[in-house]
Amino acid sequence: MTFNLPIGLRLWETEFRRGKSPLHRGYTFSPLEASSDAYRITVMAEADQISRLFHDIGRLFGPESFLILEFYPHEMEATGEEPTGPTTFYSPYLPTADLLKALESYMPRLIHDGFVGFGLANNRAGLEFFYSEEKVLTCFSGNHLRVIDLLNQHGLPHRPDLPTPGDFGHDHLSLLCHPSDDLPPFLAEMGQDDLDYVLFCQEVVEALDMYPVEETLSFFLSKKEQDAIEECLSRHSEFSEFAEEDFGSLLLDWNDFVNECEAAFEGDLWEYQQGLKLRDMIQYVIEGTPPSLSAKLKEILAEPDAQFQRNLIDRRKRLDAPGDIPVREERFWYQGVVRNQGAYLRRDLIRCGWFKP
């Protein structure tokens, strides 16, 4: 095989025909689904190119970004059952240069282990770059020409029909699966603990204060869309303080609030109302942005909104809604209250007369 894959991914021998490699350097791109101005760029680069690409693309993120790390926190076991997916961890926003420096000693292991994926993102800038455990580099960007220019500088040509390892039978291998003699020199000199992805990924998580995230919502907001949202929020005196925030994080906060209410809301009434005010702000943006963006946000929110409505009881009554939020649609989140009330919320509801004798 002439394509230099990371050692953690092995294509099956049956995939080779007449000595030809099924994989080639290059990239392809296409408009991102449900986005009018963003692109998905898929890249196949060889193992020895990834570190340089990672650092060069890192310069596109600006002064700050956050690290994405995917791995299996518990070592994989051959139980005969389908493995569950990896856990995704995010770091806080940190100086991009500091992130790259912190990853320097881990980079070869992150690249070569077959059970690890990693990348950088800056949601406010509408840019994400991720090297998956399938050893495919994917970039989401509203400025695809800038990314493509960088790929060309690295000798990666455009290939409209670009095969990836997912198109072929293959196996994933951890670094511990290989005898030390088969490892590249920069890995062969490391001890067993240093090569254990569970251990070295956990070191990264702890060093960068990373936290696990459940990606039940999957979406991408381009910089142009974020700019339109910022302009909208700036027009409201109370919401303007959130104008420069990553709006995607606010959508995820609403989703987390919905999930918390589903399990049992343990906060008091004031905290519950803060969650409802978050949905007020989101609705204000939905009604104050262009139709294409408004439709996209409604689609993103469809499932958490439906989940929240299913959890509401006593819907003939309603909590007091702030009167200074200029939205047209009826705010269903104030009609009724969630079914699974913790002690503090139920206490406050009794005190305010929600429950009548």
Side-chain angles (χ1 to χ4, degrees):
M1 180 176 178
T2 58
F3 191 91
N4 178 26
L5 269 174
I7 62 174
L9 198 73
R10 180 181 297 165
L11 266 62
W12 296 349
E13 292 294 331
T14 54
E15 300 295 352
F16 299 93
R17 298 291 184 270
R18 299 178 183 177
K20 294 183 178 180
S21 171
L23 299 177
H24 305 277
R25 291 184 179 191
Y27 69 88
T28 187
F29 67 97
S30 60
L32 187 61
E33 303 88 346
S35 182
S36 61
D37 64 327
Y39 286 80
R40 178 196 302 270
I41 306 166
T42 302
V43 184
M44 282 303 302
E46 300 193 61
D48 57 1
Q49 293 182 284
I50 298 301
S51 182
R52 295 194 304 274
L53 266 173
F54 192 87
H55 281 81
D56 285 353
I57 292 180
R59 292 199 292 267
L60 304 181
F61 283 85
E64 287 194 333
S65 56
F66 64 89
L67 178 71
I68 306 170
L69 181 62
E70 282 188 359
F71 69 102
Y72 300 81
H74 304 288
E75 192 168 352
M76 303 291 288
E77 297 180 0
T79 60
E81 299 180 1
E82 283 292 322
T84 58
T87 300
T88 302
F89 293 83
Y90 286 175
S91 79
Y93 274 93
L94 296 168
T96 304
D98 291 353
L99 280 176
L100 294 174
K101 185 176 180 180
L103 290 179
E104 193 170 328
S105 63
Y106 295 98
M107 189 68 74
R109 288 173 283 177
L110 295 172
I111 292 170
H112 282 278
D113 198 287
F115 292 106
V116 177
F118 68 102
L120 290 176
N122 183 322
N123 292 336
R124 185 61 188 83
L127 184 62
E128 180 178 321
F129 154 64
F130 189 75
Y131 191 58
S132 70
E133 62 178 316
E134 297 290 325
K135 305 311 172 188
V136 177
L137 178 63
T138 303
C139 182
F140 302 106
S141 175
N143 191 347
H144 66 294
L145 295 179
R146 190 178 182 190
V147 177
I148 287 171
D149 180 62
L150 188 148
L151 297 176
N152 288 330
Q153 293 175 30
H154 282 259
L156 296 165
H158 178 231
R159 298 182 184 273
D161 299 317
L162 181 72
T164 67
D167 298 320
F168 307 97
H170 62 273
D171 295 314
H172 292 261
L173 303 171
S174 77
L175 298 178
L176 294 176
C177 292
H178 300 273
S180 59
D181 292 343
D182 293 343
L183 293 172
F186 51 82
L187 294 176
E189 61 189 25
M190 294 186 180
Q192 293 287 292
D193 286 350
D194 292 327
L195 296 175
D196 187 335
Y197 70 85
V198 176
L199 298 179
F200 70 73
C201 284
Q202 195 59 46
E203 287 180 11
V204 176
V205 167
E206 293 174 0
L208 298 177
D209 292 324
M210 303 184 76
Y211 52 93
V213 294
E214 291 190 17
E215 296 190 314
T216 52
L217 286 186
S218 180
F219 59 88
F220 179 84
L221 297 176
S222 70
K223 186 178 185 303
K224 182 178 178 181
E225 290 169 332
Q226 294 265 18
D227 288 344
I229 292 168
E230 178 179 344
E231 181 182 354
C232 176
L233 290 174
S234 298
R235 296 194 293 264
H236 191 278
S237 58
E238 183 178 355
F239 296 157
S240 60
E241 63 180 291
F242 299 96
E244 296 183 6
E245 297 288 331
D246 167 21
F247 192 72
S249 295
L250 300 180
L251 296 176
L252 293 174
D253 287 344
W254 168 248
N255 187 61
D256 291 343
F257 174 75
V258 170
N259 288 330
E260 184 181 0
C261 290
E262 183 84 17
F265 188 78
E266 300 296 344
D268 59 20
L269 179 58
W270 182 87
E271 292 170 307
Y272 179 76
Q273 289 173 317
Q274 295 310 298
L276 304 186
K277 288 180 69 175
L278 172 61
R279 187 60 181 81
D280 286 339
M281 180 164 58
I282 294 172
Q283 186 64 32
Y284 178 77
V285 170
I286 287 174
E287 297 186 12
T289 50
S292 59
L293 178 54
S294 175
K296 179 176 181 176
L297 295 176
K298 287 180 180 179
E299 184 176 350
I300 292 170
L301 291 168
E303 179 51 38
D305 278 358
Q307 180 182 346
F308 193 71
Q309 291 193 68
R310 290 193 297 268
N311 194 24
L312 292 174
I313 58 173
D314 295 338
R315 297 190 64 178
R316 289 178 295 178
K317 296 185 286 184
R318 59 181 293 125
L319 293 169
D320 293 333
D324 60 342
I325 311 296
V327 296
R328 298 182 299 275
E329 289 193 17
E330 184 69 24
R331 288 179 275 179
F332 68 82
W333 45 96
Y334 286 102
Q335 295 173 337
V337 70
V338 290
R339 178 178 290 103
N340 299 320
Q341 306 150 19
Y344 296 109
L345 177 57
R346 187 168 183 83
R347 176 205 63 193
D348 289 349
L349 288 171
I350 291 172
R351 287 176 176 176
C352 74
W354 179 271
F355 296 107
K356 301 295 183 183

